Amino acid sequence: MRAHARAERLNDFEELPVVPVDADFKDRGLEAVGFRRKLMNWYRSHARELPWRGISDPYRTWVSEVMLQQTRVAAVIEHYENFLRRFPTIVALALASEAEVLAVWSGLGYYRRARMLHKAAQFIVRERGGVLPGTAAELRTLPGIGEYTSAAIASIAFGESIAVVDGNVERVLLRLTGRAEMATAAGRAFVQTQAAALVPRKKVDERGNAAGDHNQAMMELGATICLPRAPLCLHCPVYSMCRTRGEHVTPPRAVQKSRPAAYLLSLRKRGTVTEVLLERRADDASLMAGMYELPPLPQDAIQGREPLLRVRHAITNTNYYVQVFAASGPQDRGLRRAVPAAKDDLEWVRTNRLGMVPLTGLARKVLQRLDVMEVRPVRLPET
DNA sequence: GACGCGTGGCT
DNA sequence: TAGCCAAGCGT
């Protein structure tokens, strides 16, 4: 599929400015000094202000990098501050239960990340006196920290001169070097070499953390300018060095599927407290194991009934069209009996405790939307 | 090396 | 409405 970025983004212009390509870097590689200068000048005036920028606590950098794996910045911002208020240090995280950690992570997705972050914190406290390792090689051995995250933490938090290659950097470098379609093993190896050649060698420059800032600038360029579908080439600081300039194909996306889903909302009063019926997902479930959700209802149980709420919920490539049915009155006993779950998997939970329960994102969304749960779910320890 | 793992705002 | 998108990791 052709990228139409050029035409779409040039409404007010006759054509792109004609700028000669700096050098024949398709074979020789990008000219590093000039590239870095252009990139960093742009980054210093255009970098987004994000809560994890300009901090000096490696633990916070670690948390932010794990949260950012495959996750939008906006979603991370919503959880980052909350998480760090609840678990301000590695020790605090290590001492928490896994359920507490998952409860704060609820809604961020990829819950394995939270479990591995928790396990790594416990390992660090047990084996390393609570101190995060300071090199990429050591970080790489921790659960949940792979090639990308180890390089990101090492360069951003500790100034190590090591190249970071994420999806953004890969896209930027393939396009810059005229290999935009080379999404192969050879292409990735080429990108790694290019990225390594561009990282500043000096640990610290007159502006601060040379390698960490460079890496963040590369990613920022991919995230805000060199976009996957429609790159904003007119705003690109290294346009003059680019071989493709928006003229390249973009890979097709996976097709989306739609599926119906139905859940039961069952509330009961116990004196002054309200309780909601939740179902705990199996520990061996492939998706969201051990987390809590509203009890699912079979489709044939909801025929002819009006839902209390309709929401859409997207999981990977499937859009779930979700209906929630209330069973608060005695007339709805039939609906409650239609829940196929085993009794052991069902649990009445006080609504004022929902913030401490590891809910699935969908359960959290539904309970908040129906005012069963506060929007601010995290309860701080009594201060 | 391929696959499975979540999410929700935007259009 | 339904499709698109976005800072990886482990097996």
Side-chain angles (χ1 to χ4, degrees):
Chain A
M1 177 192 315
R2 207 64 190 149
H4 299 296
R6 216 175 140 152
E8 288 169 9
R9 304 289 158 175
L10 290 172
N11 292 339
D12 301 331
F13 300 83
E14 285 298 306
E15 59 185 50
L16 281 169
V18 179
V19 180
V21 170
D22 281 359
D24 186 12
F25 49 68
K26 179 151 189 176
D27 303 311
R28 296 197 297 115
L30 291 162
E31 192 275 295
V33 176
F35 178 86
R36 285 203 294 260
R37 194 184 60 242
K38 287 183 165 72
L39 177 70
M40 291 313 297
N41 281 339
W42 167 81
Y43 182 66
R44 290 188 176 111
S45 53
H46 290 85
R48 293 168 293 179
E49 280 190 29
L50 300 173
W52 47 88
R53 294 243 166 102
I55 58 173
S56 57
D57 180 355
Y59 167 62
R60 293 187 165 237
T61 302
W62 176 27
V63 170
S64 75
E65 287 301 335
V66 172
M67 285 189 172
L68 284 163
Q69 291 167 6
Q70 300 286 285
T71 305
R72 312 186 90 90
V73 163
V76 173
I77 289 175
E78 283 180 31
H79 286 80
Y80 173 80
E81 304 278 7
N82 235 356
F83 190 94
L84 288 167
R85 265 201 303 278
R86 181 64 189 78
F87 312 113
T89 63
I90 295 181
V91 171
L93 179 59
L95 290 176
S97 71
E98 186 179 275
E100 288 177 284
V101 178
L102 288 172
V104 182
W105 201 272
S106 170
L108 253 188
Y110 288 131
Y111 297 99
R112 191 175 52 178
R113 295 182 296 175
R115 298 182 211 266
M116 291 189 294
L117 186 66
H118 184 221
K119 280 193 170 39
Q122 293 182 328
F123 174 84
I124 291 168
V125 167
R126 198 169 60 238
E127 307 288 339
R128 303 188 50 100
V131 178
L132 191 66
T135 67
E138 292 172 287
L139 287 162
R140 180 74 179 78
T141 67
L142 294 169
I145 299 186
E147 209 58 49
Y148 161 79
T149 307
S150 60
I153 298 172
S155 65
I156 295 169
F158 298 109
E160 182 172 331
S161 172
I162 182 171
V164 155
V165 179
D166 70 342
N168 284 317
V169 174
E170 179 175 321
R171 186 173 63 252
V172 166
L173 289 177
L174 288 176
R175 286 174 174 174
L176 275 166
T177 57
R179 307 182 186 212
E181 289 87 48
M182 215 174 144
T184 62
R188 281 190 292 281
F190 171 77
V191 162
Q192 183 61 50
T193 305
Q194 284 291 297
L198 292 174
V199 185
R201 294 291 210 285
K202 280 185 297 184
K203 186 162 179 148
V204 172
D205 65 12
E206 66 284 355
R207 301 279 198 152
N209 180 351
D213 288 350
H214 169 85
N215 282 332
Q216 292 191 79
M218 289 292 288
M219 294 190 280
E220 189 83 354
L221 185 64
T224 64
I225 303 290
C226 198
L227 303 170
R229 291 277 160 186
L232 308 176
C233 296
L234 281 179
H235 301 283
C236 181
V238 289
Y239 176 78
S240 71
M241 307 179 89
C242 187
R243 294 285 291 215
T244 58
R245 301 178 173 177
E247 292 293 320
H248 46 68
V249 299
T250 53
R253 285 271 146 186
V255 293
Q256 303 282 307
K257 287 172 290 193
S258 295
R259 282 179 52 184
Y263 293 90
L264 175 73
L265 177 74
S266 186
L267 297 172
R268 74 178 187 190
K269 289 272 190 192
R270 279 289 185 270
T272 58
V273 304
T274 304
E275 295 179 334
V276 59
L277 188 63
L278 297 180
E279 180 173 336
R280 186 176 188 276
R281 296 176 61 87
D283 281 320
D284 60 0
S286 70
L287 211 61
M288 298 170 278
M291 301 195 63
Y292 288 80
E293 62 183 349
L294 293 175
L297 285 168
Q299 283 296 311
D300 57 16
I302 61 171
Q303 297 307 319
R305 293 177 187 270
E306 263 309 296
L308 190 61
L309 177 71
R310 295 174 205 269
V311 292
R312 191 184 75 143
H313 192 68
I315 300 289
T316 313
N317 293 318
T318 304
N319 284 316
Y320 291 92
Y321 287 86
V322 174
Q323 295 179 294
V324 180
F325 297 86
S328 301
Q331 72 279 12
D332 274 331
R333 208 168 293 158
L335 203 53
R336 238 174 283 174
R337 273 200 293 269
V339 172
K343 202 166 182 181
D344 280 355
D345 298 330
L346 296 171
E347 202 172 308
W348 289 100
V349 175
R350 297 183 178 201
T351 57
N352 60 7
R353 288 191 64 251
L354 286 170
M356 296 179 283
V357 175
L359 299 169
T360 66
L362 173 57
R364 187 166 165 269
K365 179 162 65 178
V366 167
L367 290 168
Q368 288 180 346
R369 192 129 355 149
L370 292 172
D371 286 329
V372 175
M373 178 183 181
E374 293 172 53
V375 175
R376 255 277 116 89
V378 174
R379 324 191 113 254
L380 298 178
E382 48 286 344
T383 48

